[in-house]
Amino acid sequence: MSNLRNIKSVMSAQVEIKDENGAPTGVFFEIAGPTHPKRKAILLANQRRLQHQLQKTGKVMLDDPAEQELQARDNLVAFTLGWTGFTDDKGQEVPFSAEAARDLYEADEYSWLVDQLNTALNEKERFMRRFASN
């Protein structure tokens, strides 16, 4: 019998990046889970902004699709906590920073990577772990 008390949410998870054939690349990105304080704060701020607009105008005001895309990219940058195994063309490790992540995510040729990470952010089971009972 399983004890639900042993299954807990975790703050972040590693995502192993896959190539075009679905094979592992050895590159791992650490992303913030739904309970991570940084992710919660950003999502709550977005919800508050929408609620404020609704209260002010009585209408739901949708952002321009280009603005939505920029917001989604800003969120992905903020929700990326680090990476390992990511190297440049010379085989040198690329140091993680928010600026490096933004540059990577803004490059059209890496839209496939953005898609993988956004998919992973929405996989709630990725942010659950079973812990041994004491």
Side-chain angles (χ1 to χ4, degrees), residues 37-114:
K38 188 175 187 181
R39 183 169 170 182
K40 283 176 70 171
I42 289 168
L43 294 178
L44 288 173
N46 289 341
Q47 289 174 355
R48 284 186 191 104
R49 182 180 57 81
L50 291 173
Q51 286 176 342
H52 178 72
Q53 283 178 344
L54 180 60
Q55 289 171 343
K56 186 176 180 180
T57 65
K59 298 178 184 177
V60 175
M61 307 277 291
L62 299 176
D63 290 335
D64 179 86
E67 289 178 30
Q68 290 176 359
E69 187 176 323
L70 289 174
Q71 182 63 56
R73 186 171 45 236
D74 287 347
N75 288 350
L76 183 56
V77 169
F79 300 160
T80 303
L81 305 175
W83 57 51
T84 57
F86 181 40
T87 58
D88 62 18
D89 293 337
K90 298 176 184 173
Q92 300 296 314
E93 187 84 19
V94 176
F96 173 77
S97 69
E99 296 80 25
R102 180 173 301 285
D103 290 344
L104 185 62
Y105 301 154
E106 287 179 350
D108 288 338
E109 61 266 27
Y110 293 106
S111 63
W112 62 269
L113 175 63
V114 170

Side-chain angles (χ1 to χ4, degrees), residues 5-22:
R5 294 179 190 266
N6 295 342
I7 303 170
K8 303 198 184 217
S9 294
V10 293
M11 296 281 188
S12 65
Q14 284 195 342
V15 177
E16 185 168 18
I17 305 305
K18 308 281 196 233
D19 70 11
E20 69 279 9
N21 297 315

